[in-house]
Amino acid sequence: MRKLITTALALFTLLCLSTVAYAAAPIKIGGLFAVTGPASFLGEPERNTAQMVVDEINKAGGIKGRKIELITYDTVGDTTKAVQLANKLIKNDKVVAIIGPSTTGDSMAIIPVVEKAGIPLISCAAGSKITEPVKKWVFKTAQNDGLAVARIYEQLKKEKKTKVAILTVSDGFGSSGREQLKAQAKVYGIQILSDDTYGPKDTDMTAQLTKIRGSQAQAVICWGTNPGPAVVARNAKQLGLKIPLYMSHGVSSKKFIVLAGDAADGIRLPSGKVLVADLLPKNDKQKASLLSFIKDYQNHYKAEGDHFGGHAWDAVMLLKGAIERGGDTPAGIRNALETTRNFAGIGGVFNFSPRDHAGLTKEAFTLVEVRKKDWVLVK
Amino acid sequence: MELLNQVSQFVISGLATGAIYALIGLSFAIIFNSTGIINFAQGEFVMLGGVLTILCINALQLPLLAAICAAVAGTTVIGLVFERLAIRPLKNATPLALIIITIGASILIRGLVMLLWGKDTQALPAFSGNDPISVAGATLLPQHLWIFGVTILVIVGCRLFFHHTISGKAMRACSFNPRAANLVGVSVGRMVLFSFVISAAVGSLAGVIIAPLTMTAYDVGVMLGLKGFCAAIMGGMGSGLGTVLGGLILGALESLGAGLISSGYKDAIAFLILLLILFIRPQGLFKKGETDRV
Amino acid sequence: MKSDKLKFFAFCLAVLLAPLPLSGSYLTNVLVFVGVNSILALGLNLLLGFAGQISLGQAAFFGLGAYGSGVLTSVYAFNPWVAMVVVALAVAAFAFAIGFPVLRLKGHYLAMATLGVGVIANIAFNETVDLTGGPSGLSGIPNLAIGSFTFDTDLKNYYLVWGFALVMILLSLNLVNSRFGRGLRAIHDSEVAARVMGVNARLMKVQVFTLSAFISAIAGSLYCHVMTFISPTSFGFNTSVELLTMIVIGGFGSVYGSILGALLLTMLPEILRTFNDYDIIVYGLLLVVMTIYMPGGLVKGVPALFRRLTPKKAKEGANA
């Protein structure tokens, strides 16, 4: 009996002590990433980065002395699961804000959930539909596809090329790019001569490229994520396609160069600045953020940080800023997010406003070219 | 003239892809013929072929040829283990149960590879360079020739094995009538095991020779498996040459469909033709009809 | 027969009361999807468990239902209830038409043909961008409503979906015990024998295929109004396989088994989350092991296991 009392007392004291030590409960934020499944190339670096940034913030003392607790779930890129997990984060874990999901589909699926619950969401997916029209609680960090398209078209216009062929993958990423490519063509006076697609798991695109070779196109724009574009690059080389090949920001990582091999030479693509951080001038606003992200990621995961991870970096840092200014309530965070100005992150310099929840301009993209297995800036 | 060149490119690229479908289809048919099982994990054997080769090259620093042999051998062992653990314990299983077991096994294999190897796509260097070759107005890569060559070798090998060796004949006997085969002293169980071993070897070989062209990752098996299955069905699930023709036709149709009609609907076109074949000639394109045994 | 009715009422009661202890928890939300999956599994089980006809393309009918309702209500501003009925009938008519050639096939040929239908449907959802929004999905689908009462919370949706599910269960129970149901089981056991006994096997197979498509389409309509957003990935080959798995795990040819399978498989990710990244392996392993050691599914396997372990509890376990 005595033993029991002693134990109870000890436990009680311990409990009291621990409450004192953690007087300020951690601020809970949720993360939804497609860590496995077809979009894992997005979800994995995003989750890793989010966890890394949160750890760094906590190590540095948290936000105003309060720790952050990141609760992440894997959506597998399945919209139904994304909705269930968003509900779980909101109702069971009682998070004050959500980061992710990784794909446009997952993001669109959970928007009704967060809107109804009034929880701010910072999506890491690229589809411009997510924030157009503006939704009260929804923000995003991944650069809109439209900006990447604009960057390519601008270059084509500069080179007086007006006829293009487009080749897009038939998934969420590709179809969003295809929409933008078609919508903006007129603005830049560009004519789309052929509009083809390929499946995400296709292994041979010579048929589409042969068709393009037979057309009068002056450039090919391919919109997809690895490994499709690498196959396109190799097939184009096989067919001896002479016109320039443009890719999307979906392949802006070293991985693409490795996969495409020699065929990557001369390919151009719009990319977030993370790829060419060391080539940027010293006065570039983003340079400090970029270099610290790359260094941290290398230390934590022994791998190169890419711009997908950068979306999560931006999301957590934006959230940190918003909590510092607006407090730890969902409404406070949302209002502070909306007034975020001049935040120089990985994806670009963000300026949110009541009319713009994507916050970036096409300056977020730089056009790079592959030369001798490395990136160079296109002037 | 331009159109003619295009069509010849469509056909030749299509045939190259089709040869792969044919090889995978053949590996389906080998198991089906001696066991009546449709192995939905067949695509994973293909994936394992490519993945293990790259693993052997990168981790063990083996030369290409040794790596390929090791990968095919490794996959064969996995096929053997798979038969022992998942197929053997089941007695008198319904076709449906077998379909589900093999689907489960494919998920398992895929999951294991994802965890052990990672989710990244990786490329295998081409066997003999990347300089395009010109054939009849179309361009091909040396790797395509490897594909055609290996496919022909495997077909000839299978033909010789099934028609001219005792084991091969015994396996065919099992497919016609397992009980009768058993009565004349053929060990049906061993033949089933055998078929899994051969099928895994053929499947993984297909995986190895396309890896330089298409690259490989833990999840490439699903689609390739489906296409191979398609080829086998078109060929009537058995007649060796029929499956090969089925694969070639499927590949050519896909490529022509993508080039001339619509790239978005190319798979739909292929499957639609498959459905039509099933409706009109359920026994496959090149096989005579059979009556049901009751 | 009386115990059957009792069982059904007990089940109704369980469905009615289930959300109470969960008030406010996200599990209510998961149970909504369990309801949708139950309807789907039931539809497939009628075809597969009772008539013995495999389908690997069930997701096609589910998707047609969802996209039909979604497009009609969000693009053409149809009344959702009208749309649901129209779409379900249209899908049923489509199934009836393709049923004749498809169901002539047997075994793996049938599997391949239904798989082909599934693949083609999925490609169609992806490619008809102007109508369906293509791969980036269709948003802005309204919730269902009766007058000014909108089904816009998890709890309301729960009762909506499970209301439908109960109707389907009742329908299936009656069907299974009818002349039609006996005919189906005869086809399952031996089609030739059934034919000899005067069962019009061909027509009956098409009829049950049509019914199964009808039920799946209803589930699709419900799903799209609950989610208010749909994209083609929810209606692919994986979904068809998942449905198949539900039946295998729950119980072949058992109405309540379908529900159990849907419940387990929808909740499985929750349970498997403790395994972290290893969940996919556990999932695959479960499929293989279950099929080998419990070919009748949990509904038949668990009571059998109980009987072997504790003879006394046999009766309790067997009530499924």
Side-chain angles (χ1 to χ4, degrees), chain A residues 187-214:
Chain A
V187 184
Y188 289 88
I190 279 168
Q191 198 187 348
I192 295 174
L193 291 184
S194 84
D195 166 17
D196 279 292
T197 60
Y198 65 88
K201 290 268 156 251
D202 281 4
T203 51
D204 184 84
M205 282 66 137
T206 41
Q208 290 93 324
L209 288 165
T210 305
K211 205 171 120 192
I212 290 170
R213 188 180 60 178

Side-chain angles (χ1 to χ4, degrees), chain A residues 59-360:
Chain A
K59 218 191 281 170
I63 302 177
K64 290 186 182 164
R66 291 180 64 187
K67 303 261 184 219
I68 304 179
E69 187 185 341
L70 177 71
I71 303 163
T72 60
Y73 296 125
D74 178 8
T75 68
V76 202
D78 175 338
T79 50
T80 317
K81 284 206 181 72
V83 165
Q84 288 172 9
L85 293 170
N87 270 298
K88 186 175 189 187
L89 283 175
I90 294 168
K91 289 181 184 152
N92 278 32
D93 302 320
K94 308 241 185 301
V95 298
V96 293
I98 298 176
I99 297 171
S102 318
T103 67
T104 307
D106 286 356
S107 304
M108 294 304 289
I110 72 164
I111 284 172
V113 180
V114 297
E115 285 284 299
K116 203 178 289 163
I119 297 290
L121 172 77
I122 308 183
S123 167
C124 295
S128 28
K129 277 204 255 171
I130 296 167
T131 51
E132 284 168 23
V134 170
K135 287 134 196 120
K136 189 175 174 197
W137 297 92
V138 183
F139 299 81
K140 72 194 277 263
T141 54
Q143 305 95 331
N144 276 342
D145 302 318
L147 303 177
V149 170
R151 195 69 196 77
I152 294 178
Y153 278 173
E154 217 174 52
Q155 181 69 23
L156 289 175
K157 204 176 166 190
K158 208 158 87 187
E159 294 174 11
K160 303 223 165 16
K161 290 188 169 130
T162 55
K163 294 182 180 117
V164 300
I166 65 175
L167 179 57
T168 57
V169 62
S170 57
D171 64 14
F173 182 77
S175 77
S176 177
R178 184 173 168 210
E179 261 168 52
Q180 289 296 328
L181 283 164
K182 284 162 128 177
Q184 294 192 30
K186 214 171 254 164
V187 184
Y188 289 88
I190 279 168
Q191 198 187 348
I192 295 174
L193 291 184
S194 84
D195 166 17
D196 279 292
T197 60
Y198 65 88
K201 290 268 156 251
D202 281 4
T203 51
D204 184 84
M205 282 66 137
T206 41
Q208 290 93 324
L209 288 165
T210 305
K211 205 171 120 192
I212 290 170
R213 188 180 60 178
S215 72
Q216 301 290 315
Q218 293 160 314
V220 188
I221 305 173
C222 167
W223 217 262
T225 49
N226 283 329
V231 177
V232 169
R234 286 158 166 243
N235 287 165
K237 187 171 178 247
Q238 174 201 338
L239 292 173
L241 204 64
K242 292 284 182 297
I243 53 181
L245 183 53
Y246 284 81
M247 292 285 169
S248 71
H249 53 302
V251 293
S252 68
S253 65
K254 273 272 164 63
K255 188 83 213 164
F256 170 71
I257 302 185
V258 173
L259 289 179
D262 297 338
D265 228 42
I267 286 174
R268 291 172 165 189
L269 53 102
S271 156
K273 293 184 179 166
V274 65
L275 221 50
V276 286
D278 45 343
L279 302 181
L280 292 175
K282 275 218 178 67
N283 59 3
D284 192 285
K285 279 191 203 162
Q286 290 173 252
K287 190 153 185 169
S289 300
L290 288 168
L291 291 178
S292 105
F293 165 61
I294 293 171
K295 198 177 112 236
D296 283 352
Y297 203 90
Q298 187 68 41
N299 287 342
H300 269 81
Y301 300 109
K302 308 279 169 274
E304 209 175 327
D306 55 18
H307 80 149
F308 305 128
H311 300 329
W313 196 95
D314 290 344
V316 179
M317 292 310 257
L318 281 166
L319 213 51
K320 177 179 175 241
I323 295 172
E324 276 165 359
R325 285 176 290 121
D328 64 352
T329 60
I333 294 172
R334 190 212 85 93
N335 293 338
L337 272 177
E338 199 167 63
T339 51
T340 302
R341 300 275 185 282
N342 275 320
F343 167 75
I346 308 301
V349 180
F350 290 85
N351 282 297
F352 288 134
S353 73
R355 273 187 301 167
D356 183 8
H357 281 192
L360 293 172

Side-chain angles (χ1 to χ4, degrees), chain C residues 249-264:
Chain C
I249 290 192
F252 232 49
S254 154
V255 170
Y256 293 109
S258 322
I259 316 290
L260 183 66
L263 179 75
L264 281 179

Side-chain angles (χ1 to χ4, degrees), chain B residues 188-214:
Chain B
V188 177
R190 184 181 294 167
M191 292 306 137
V192 171
L193 185 69
F194 240 56
S195 73
F196 267 86
V197 166
I198 299 174
S199 166
V202 172
S204 62
L205 199 59
V208 173
I209 55 173
I210 50 160
L213 279 179
T214 64

Side-chain angles (χ1 to χ4, degrees), chain B residues 42 49 90 226 280:
Chain B
Q42 202 66 41
L90 237 79
L226 269 184
I280 299 163

Side-chain angles (χ1 to χ4, degrees), chain C residues 255-277:
Chain C
V255 170
Y256 293 109
S258 322
I259 316 290
L260 183 66
L263 179 75
L264 281 179
L265 225 72
T266 319
M267 303 291 269
L268 201 60
E270 288 303 314
I271 306 161
L272 291 187
R273 198 151 292 133
T274 44
F275 293 99
N276 281 327
D277 291 351

Side-chain angles (χ1 to χ4, degrees), chain B residues 255-269:
Chain B
S255 173
L256 283 168
L260 299 177
I261 307 173
S262 150
S263 46
Y265 284 103
K266 72 174 167 32
D267 284 347
I269 296 168

